[in-house]
Amino acid sequence: MEPELRQMRYFVAVAERRSFTRAAEDVYVAQQALSQQIKALEDTLGVRLLDRTSRRVELTPAGAAYLADCKRLLAAAGRATQHARAVADGEAGTLRIAYTVTAVYETLPALTAHLAARAPRLKVETREVFASDVCRMLREERCDLALAPRTGYPKGIARRTVRREALMAAVGDGHPSAGAPAVELAGLRDETFQLWPRDMAPGYYDAVAGACRAAGFEPVLDETASGSNAWAAIAAGRGVNLVVASLAHQLPRGITLVPLAGPAPELRLDAVWRAEQPHPAVSRVLDGCAELWPAQQAGGAVSARPASP
């Protein structure tokens, strides 16, 4: 049998106080019960730890050595308890965040800086993904939370809008609207939109296509648009697109962002997570987003509905 941590605590109390009476008061147990536990500890170890006299309790050489080890073990046990509680409270551990390009230049840096300041023991690992991969990664537990444009998800996935960003027109530097103070979205009806396919970026696709429809037209799409070649086509004057305003921080060469006239359409960025047994830090992330963008929150967490075809 191995000694119990409780017995070690009792022994440390007696060894430090050199008195069973005062130690019993410190650990809130009866003196007789304390004496019995110390005797049981010595029997378990097979050594005498304390020399008892009528006036004082002294440590044996074995007791002095055991006292130092007990203090280290109890300190380690205390740290383990604190760490477990911190992880359960979302203050420590590792949080894996998947994100799409729409979050990369403003949302993610602001959020990770906020978490580093408020929960410095929480390690945040980030990974850029296509929005179409978010649901699968969550279900396979390859990430704990994702930041992606709003779309539908199957049962078991929860979401909350944490930020809204205005959409702007991305045009080539040689486009007639480049440098204009603003452009009417309806004025781009005859342009080819370099929009990623919906199966790559469903929420972003729906936001752009929905904004065009609200402006009174169905966007003409370049069926070959995908990834970096969409930017290349815009820079070469072969089309336009709508992108979030934060992309102004890292525009490819040859592209200009132009504000849209009137109330600009928005892209809603959601935090997305597993509804059952979410990571303990999810609530900390949601609270952080509410502090960072209080005016851009929309409703509470919801169980997502299946995506429309």
Side-chain angles (χ1 to χ4, degrees):
M1 294 179 60
E2 295 294 332
E4 300 175 4
L5 287 177
R6 174 171 56 99
Q7 294 173 325
M8 293 183 184
R9 292 190 184 95
Y10 292 167
F11 166 70
V12 170
V14 174
E16 290 182 337
R17 299 289 276 171
R18 294 296 199 272
S19 166
F20 278 88
T21 301
R22 291 193 293 270
E25 294 172 353
D26 289 346
V27 297
Y28 303 103
V29 298
Q31 182 176 337
Q32 182 179 1
L34 179 63
S35 297
Q36 290 172 347
Q37 288 298 319
I38 297 300
K39 180 62 169 59
L41 175 62
E42 291 178 320
D43 290 344
T44 298
L45 297 175
V47 298
R48 192 176 76 258
L49 300 173
L50 301 168
D51 282 331
R52 302 155 178 84
T53 69
S54 59
R55 294 184 178 182
R56 189 171 175 81
V57 175
E58 297 291 345
L59 286 167
T60 66
Y66 193 60
L67 175 62
D69 289 336
C70 281
K71 287 182 175 180
R72 285 192 289 270
L73 285 170
L74 291 173
R79 289 193 298 271
T81 299
Q82 293 174 358
H83 184 253
R85 289 172 177 165
V87 170
D89 291 339
E91 297 178 357
T94 299
L95 175 69
R96 299 165 300 168
I97 299 179
Y99 65 93
T100 70
V101 69
T102 53
V104 69
Y105 297 115
E106 284 186 0
T107 305
L108 185 70
L111 178 58
T112 53
H114 180 90
L115 291 173
R118 299 298 178 89
R121 290 183 292 167
L122 179 65
K123 179 182 178 182
V124 179
E125 297 179 350
T126 60
R127 177 181 177 183
E128 186 171 334
V129 300
F130 289 119
S132 56
D133 294 329
V134 164
C135 183
R136 176 174 53 82
M137 292 185 67
L138 285 168
R139 283 182 158 177
E140 294 177 357
E141 299 187 5
R142 295 169 56 196
C143 69
D144 305 304
L145 179 137
L147 299 171
R150 164 149 293 212
T151 189
Y153 293 99
K155 183 178 180 181
I157 302 296
R159 68 186 182 194
R160 177 183 293 176
T161 295
V162 295
R163 193 178 182 204
R164 306 183 194 189
E165 268 206 81
L167 291 171
M168 300 180 71
V171 301
D173 289 348
H175 192 277
S177 297
V183 60
E184 294 282 350
L185 180 53
L188 301 177
R189 67 172 62 246
D190 296 326
E191 299 280 358
T192 299
F193 277 72
Q194 298 292 334
L195 181 60
W196 287 9
R198 191 179 188 280
D199 58 4
M200 288 177 61
Y204 172 62
Y205 180 101
D206 290 346
V208 173
C212 293
R213 290 166 188 150
F217 68 98
E218 188 71 27
V220 176
L221 305 180
D222 183 343
E223 299 298 333
T224 67
S226 173
S228 58
N229 72 347
W231 290 116
I234 296 172
R238 297 197 302 273
V240 301
N241 200 9
L242 302 185
V243 301
V244 288
S246 59
L247 282 177
H249 297 304
Q250 193 69 26
L251 277 180
R253 186 178 304 174
I255 295 177
T256 298
L257 293 191
V258 184
L260 295 171
E266 296 177 328
L267 182 133
R268 296 173 65 174
L269 192 67
D270 280 359
V272 189
W273 66 95
R274 291 182 295 276
E276 294 186 6
Q277 297 182 332
H279 190 284
V282 166
S283 60
R284 185 168 295 276
V285 170
L286 298 178
D287 290 344
C289 290
E291 291 184 39
L292 289 167
W293 304 289
Q296 299 180 24
Q297 306 296 298
V302 299
S303 293
R305 298 179 298 276
S308 57

